[in-house]
């Protein structure tokens, strides 16, 4: 990807290092991990060793002290590994769960968890969605009732990435009632460790794509969470989550776009090589124009994503821009996937060609982390409609 004006020399150095690591140590393994339905523990520890699990975490806790754009670089380069599931798993850990610990954790919580989160010994998952509540977060029904020095957690979570093999779960639960005017009140966040009675992975979910990332249904049945595992302020869970969602959605846009850019590169290579009617397909004007159109869509979406990422990195208000970036990037990436398969002909439908996997993986992005419909809703609310 381009974008010299967005990234500093240091970012570009990081990009070079991550790209070399991905080419040498990730891409050759993704087929095996896709089949296994998970990424191995040794890989998490390798990421930790390389310092890639805490790029913008404070140095005091073992992070690299970089900025959010370093994480964007990580997302872009991981997404080039040709397995959406690997990139998704890693970024759920680095960008969609553990940052909440830095932002809302107490000193004791940070000291307890961050070293292992950054070394890759502890894998993180974010557990918000429930069988009866996805887009409508206020409808969450998992309850956390205070009893003395702990809370008792009861309920179910679904579609939880890293949920099957994770260690530390950032769980949203209801600690108090919602009111008719303030439906989002009464939610809280908890740090939940696996391995104690009352908490089980009730199902490993089988899915269309993202196969290297494990996805769980979780059941809490009277699970006792110590009161000191409350993350942030009781009853303010929704507000805390809403603040972090801009980072998560920007990252989803980054992953979708970078994967699409890779798929387009693969397609161009294929068109140059594949002969039909006595010449390479790349010589056909109708196909060249299709590729030109997709490259233009990608570039437009990329500029919007970088704009949103810069606003977020600067701590500015960016809900509108992030929602637009997530909407456009994920829709464009799906369009690229459709045409990448089409331009490969029958080979595009075969498992041995990476565009086949991308086509399945990319379908998630207009759904997860807020659907396209919800993005349009958020944007519409910020227009003078
Ligand atoms: C592979 C995978 C991984 C995931 N990982 C995680 C994870 O790690 N942690 C986690 O907490 N969640 C995770 N999710 C959940 C994901 O974020 C939700 O699936 C998503 O938010 C949509 O919620 P839902 O599935 O309940 O759909 P619903 O909310 O039931 O929506 C169904 C359809 O109705 C539309 N819709 C809903 N409300 C409106 C409205 N007001 N106006 C217009 N249209 C509307 C939606 O856009 C959608 O098209 C994951 C999902 C998948 C598939």
């Amino acid at each position: 990807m381009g974008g010299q004006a967005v990234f500093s020399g240091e970012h570009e150095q990081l990009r070079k290092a991550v790209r070399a690591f991905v080419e040498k140590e990730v891409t050759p393994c993704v087929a095996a991990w896709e089949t296994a339905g998970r990424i191995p523990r040794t890989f998490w520890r390798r990421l930790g060793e390389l310092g890639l699990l805490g790029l913008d975490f404070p140095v005091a806790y073992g992070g690299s002290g970089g900025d959010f754009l370093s994480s964007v670089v990580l997302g872009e380069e991981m997404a080039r590994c040709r397995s959406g599931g690997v990139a998704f798993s890693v970024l759920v850990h680095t960008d969609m769960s553990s940052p909440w610990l830095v932002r809302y954790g107490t000193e004791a919580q940070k000291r307890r968890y961050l070293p292992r989160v950054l070394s890759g010994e502890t894998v993180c998952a974010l557990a918000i969605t429930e069988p009866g509540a996805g887009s409508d977060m206020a409808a969450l029904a998992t309850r956390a009732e205070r009893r003395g020095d702990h809370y008792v957690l009861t309920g179910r979570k679904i579609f939880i990435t890293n949920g099957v093999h994770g260690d530390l779960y950032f769980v949203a639960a209801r600690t108090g009632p919602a009111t008719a005017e303030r439906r989002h009140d009464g939610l809280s966040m908890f740090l939940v460790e696996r391995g104690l009675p009352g908490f089980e992975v009730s199902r490993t979910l089988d899915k269309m794509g993202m196969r290297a990332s494990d996805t769980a249904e979780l059941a809490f049945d009277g699970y006792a969470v110590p009161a000191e595992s409350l993350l942030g302020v009781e009853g303010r869970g929704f507000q805390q989550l809403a603040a972090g969602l801009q980072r998560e959605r920007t990252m989803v846009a980054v992953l979708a776009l970078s994967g699409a850019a890779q798929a387009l590169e693969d397609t161009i290579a294929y068109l140059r090589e594949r002969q039909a009617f006595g010449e390479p397909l790349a010589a056909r004007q109708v196909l060249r124009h299709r590729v030109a159109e997709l490259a233009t869509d990608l570039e437009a979406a990329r500029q919007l994503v970088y704009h949103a990422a810069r606003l977020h990195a600067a701590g500015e208000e960016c809900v509108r821009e992030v929602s637009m970036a997530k909407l456009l990037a994920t829709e464009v990436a799906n369009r690229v996937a459709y045409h990448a398969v089409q331009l490969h002909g029958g080979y595009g439908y075969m498992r041995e060609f990476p565009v086949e996997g991308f086509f399945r993986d990319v379908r998630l992005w207009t759904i997860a982390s807020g659907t396209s419909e919800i993005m349009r809703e958020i944007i519409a609310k910020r227009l003078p409609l």
Side-chain angles (χ1 to χ4, degrees):
M1 287 204 178
Q4 284 77 0
V6 182
F7 299 106
S8 68
E10 252 173 68
H11 292 129
E12 292 308 334
Q13 282 295 105
L14 172 71
R15 181 185 300 287
K16 229 169 112 185
V18 181
R19 184 167 296 191
F21 163 67
V22 167
E23 282 171 4
K24 190 158 161 255
E25 297 184 47
V26 188
T27 307
C29 303
V30 296
W33 299 348
E34 289 269 301
T35 305
R38 65 178 296 187
I39 52 183
R41 283 282 164 167
T42 47
F43 178 62
W44 286 107
R45 285 196 289 273
R46 181 79 181 117
L47 290 168
E49 235 171 64
L50 295 170
L52 297 178
L53 299 179
L55 286 173
D56 65 342
F57 284 48
V59 176
Y61 298 104
S64 304
D67 57 6
F68 174 61
L69 293 175
S70 317
S71 232
V72 169
V73 169
L74 175 71
E76 287 188 335
E77 295 307 318
M78 285 304 306
R80 291 175 61 88
C81 78
R82 296 196 176 83
S83 162
V86 172
F88 187 28
S89 254
V90 172
L91 276 293
V92 162
H93 177 95
T94 58
D95 281 74
M96 305 179 196
S97 52
S98 59
W100 269 295
L101 195 47
V102 176
R103 194 160 175 163
Y104 297 110
T106 61
E107 195 54 29
Q109 288 170 337
K110 289 179 194 170
R111 297 269 167 223
R112 180 181 170 95
Y113 294 113
L114 275 178
R116 283 182 290 144
V117 165
L118 298 186
S119 70
E121 264 168 90
T122 292
V123 174
C124 297
L126 174 66
I128 303 177
T129 308
E130 299 183 358
S135 304
D136 185 7
M137 224 196 273
L140 291 186
T142 294
R143 291 189 326 274
E145 282 171 30
R146 181 82 193 233
R147 301 234 184 101
D149 63 353
H150 64 277
Y151 291 84
V152 175
L153 210 57
T154 308
R156 284 186 187 282
K157 296 288 173 184
I158 201 163
F159 308 143
I160 307 309
T161 304
N162 296 342
V164 183
H165 301 292
D167 308 286
L168 181 64
Y169 298 76
F170 291 67
V171 178
R174 183 159 288 293
T175 43
T179 57
E181 315 80 64
R182 304 179 66 134
R183 294 181 66 235
H184 293 103
D185 275 5
L187 296 175
S188 302
M189 285 178 79
F190 294 91
L191 292 166
V192 171
E193 294 179 46
R194 73 180 304 150
L196 294 172
F199 171 24
E200 63 166 358
V201 175
S202 43
R203 250 187 332 148
T204 299
L205 301 169
D206 194 8
K207 49 195 194 303
M208 175 194 289
M210 299 288 182
R211 297 195 65 87
S213 68
D214 62 82
T215 312
E217 183 178 298
L218 309 175
F220 296 101
D221 187 10
Y223 180 84
V225 193
E228 60 264 26
S229 294
L230 172 75
L231 185 63
V233 179
E234 183 175 307
R236 299 287 297 167
F238 176 79
Q239 290 76 4
Q240 292 173 197
L241 284 164
L245 275 179
Q246 304 322 313
R247 176 174 183 141
E248 174 177 332
R249 287 178 180 157
T250 305
M251 197 48 74
V252 165
V254 164
L255 294 178
L257 267 193
S258 183
Q262 178 68 67
L264 194 62
E265 277 177 38
D266 289 345
T267 302
I268 291 172
Y270 182 81
L271 293 175
R272 288 165 65 96
E273 198 184 303
R274 176 74 170 167
Q275 300 285 321
F277 303 97
E279 60 180 3
L281 285 176
R284 295 267 146 187
Q285 190 184 47
V286 69
L287 304 187
R288 296 170 69 79
H289 283 192
R290 172 69 72 202
V291 172
E293 198 174 280
L294 296 173
T296 305
D297 286 350
L298 273 180
E299 187 59 34
R302 182 182 295 144
Q303 293 308 325
L304 184 53
V305 172
Y306 284 164
H307 174 55
R310 263 189 305 222
L311 289 178
H312 179 65
E316 287 179 35
E317 165 60 38
C318 56
V319 174
R320 191 179 87 117
E321 289 78 4
V322 168
S323 307
M324 287 176 168
K326 203 262 174 190
L327 174 64
L328 183 67
T330 59
E331 296 285 342
V332 162
N334 270 278
R335 200 149 63 237
V336 169
Y338 175 87
H339 290 294
V341 170
Q342 188 68 19
L343 290 167
H344 275 73
Y347 291 104
Y349 205 70
M350 296 297 127
R351 289 263 152 123
E352 65 198 273
F353 280 76
V355 289
E356 182 272 343
F358 180 66
F359 183 82
R360 286 181 290 109
D361 290 346
V362 77
R363 194 62 193 83
L364 176 66
W365 292 138
T366 61
I367 298 170
S369 186
T371 64
S372 288
E373 289 74 19
I374 296 300
M375 292 307 103
R376 291 188 190 100
E377 195 57 29
I378 294 170
I379 297 161
K381 279 191 188 143
R382 286 162 175 78
L383 296 173
L385 278 169

